[in-house]
Each structure stands twice: as C-alpha cells, then as structure tokens.
Amino acid sequence: MAELVSFTVPTESDKTLLVWELSSGPTAEALHHSLFAVFSQFGLLYSVRVFPNAAVARPGFYAIIKFYSARDAHRAQKACDQKQLFQNSPVKVRLGTKHKAVQHQALALNSSQCQELANYYFGFNGWSKRIIKLQDLSDLEERANEDTVPPLQKQSLKFFCALEVVLPSYECWSPGAGMAEEPLDNLEEESGKIAVEYRPCEEITDASTEDELQDLIQPRCWPRLRS
C-alpha cells in the first residue's frame, strides 16, 4: 500500500520515535551525530533532538526523532529497539504515544525543507518549479484603505505568488498559490526573505485586486527563508 507523505511538519505519533537509555559518556552533540547517522539509514529525518534525563533519573540522555514517513519510522523502531547501535548497552526505541484529544495544526515546511523532501523522493532532477505570477499587493491594500488608515500608521509588505510544480517522469504538474505578509518594521536586513506557502489549486487567474484573490488564496503560515 502506498503512503502519502505530506509537505508539512510531521506531528503524528506514528512518525515520532522516542529513544532512551542513551549513555551519559558522550556529549549531546556527539549523540545527535550518532543518532542521525543510524536512523537516517531508514528514511529522511525531519529532526533529531537530544535531551538530558530528568534529575530524578540516572545520568544519561533521551532523544526524540521525527520522520516524514510513518513507514520509515516503523522500520527504524523494529530494527533498532533493544540494540546497542553505537554504545555498549542496548537502547530502547518506541513509537510516540497517541493522544486522540490533541489535534495539531498542519504547519508548512520552509523552502529548504520542501526542496530536501522533493529531492529525496523524486531525485535532484526529478522535479522542477516555475513562478507563474508574482504580485505585490501592498499598494492595493494601501489604496483600498487610504481613507481609513492614518498616514503615520505602519504598513505591511504583502505578496501574492502563483507557481507550478512539474514532475517530468510522471508527466504531471500541479499549480498552487499562496500569500505572505510581514509588517515593515519587522523586515530588518538580517531577517532574510519572506517565504510563500504553496497550496495546490484548480486554476490560476490574472486577478488584479485583492478581493478577486480571496477565493484562490487560503494562507496558513508563512515561514521565512534564511539567506
């Protein structure tokens, strides 16, 4: 059975591994490197986080590892549980605990993570993207609100972007659209660029006003690209 891998931050319990009984000898940084080397053999990792044990427990560390794929996480758990891996004593590896009452909002990956995920599954030359339309909406909003907004009120920078993702080997493509907004006072030189979230849609239109874009755009979160 095929697995659907979403281009969102993995929060599901079946994509999360808990690793404990890590020895206290190595540093947290060394353990992070060793854990990444072992578990990345089973699939692409979103994150590896190492924490010291609580004060009431014996000295040592535990880790939380997140995969993009639930299938990869299951394979890693079965292969690594009760194994020594990179230390003299065995470690314990368990899948995350399900909490039915907790529902996490899907958060978009940043641009570099999206490219890493696409390269992993489609290959470096297995996909491409092109920008169909990039429009600055800041002026549209200012003109619409010029009668109600005080002249000295701080404005924001807002962009609309429509793009197309192409998979040549599968002869398929998907258009998408997104919008990003950031207050001008937050746009410091070192903050990097604003990223626009990609959302698949049925049709790209040549909308000229912000009202015409509302049926096309459903923004969720806007991560930044670090330069």
Side-chain angles (χ1 to χ4, degrees), residues 65-146:
I65 301 174
K66 289 184 178 291
F67 285 82
Y68 287 102
S69 164
R71 182 178 299 173
D72 293 342
H74 279 264
R75 291 194 302 113
Q77 190 275 325
K78 291 182 178 180
C80 298
D81 185 36
Q82 299 298 333
K83 299 295 193 302
Q84 292 182 335
L85 301 182
F86 47 81
Q87 60 184 40
N88 295 327
S89 57
V91 300
K92 294 181 180 179
V93 183
R94 298 288 188 274
L95 287 168
T97 304
K98 294 183 179 180
H99 297 284
K100 295 183 179 180
V102 178
Q103 293 184 349
H104 298 279
Q105 179 185 3
L107 300 177
L109 298 172
N110 63 37
S111 178
S112 61
Q113 291 169 329
C114 286
Q115 293 187 54
E116 181 184 36
L117 190 56
N119 289 338
Y120 182 83
Y121 284 103
F122 301 124
F124 184 78
N125 295 318
W127 68 283
S128 64
K129 66 180 185 294
R130 77 181 176 91
I131 296 177
I132 301 173
K133 185 179 184 67
L134 182 62
Q135 182 175 356
D136 184 355
L137 302 182
S138 307
D139 292 339
L140 292 176
E141 185 176 90
E142 289 177 11
R143 288 199 300 267
N145 299 329
E146 60 184 1

Side-chain angles (χ1 to χ4, degrees), residues 40-79:
S40 61
Q41 299 177 43
F42 299 93
L44 186 63
L45 302 179
Y46 170 73
S47 65
V48 176
R49 302 174 64 189
V50 179
F51 305 91
N53 288 341
V56 295
R58 65 181 182 181
F61 296 88
Y62 70 97
I64 299 176
I65 301 174
K66 289 184 178 291
F67 285 82
Y68 287 102
S69 164
R71 182 178 299 173
D72 293 342
H74 279 264
R75 291 194 302 113
Q77 190 275 325
K78 291 182 178 180

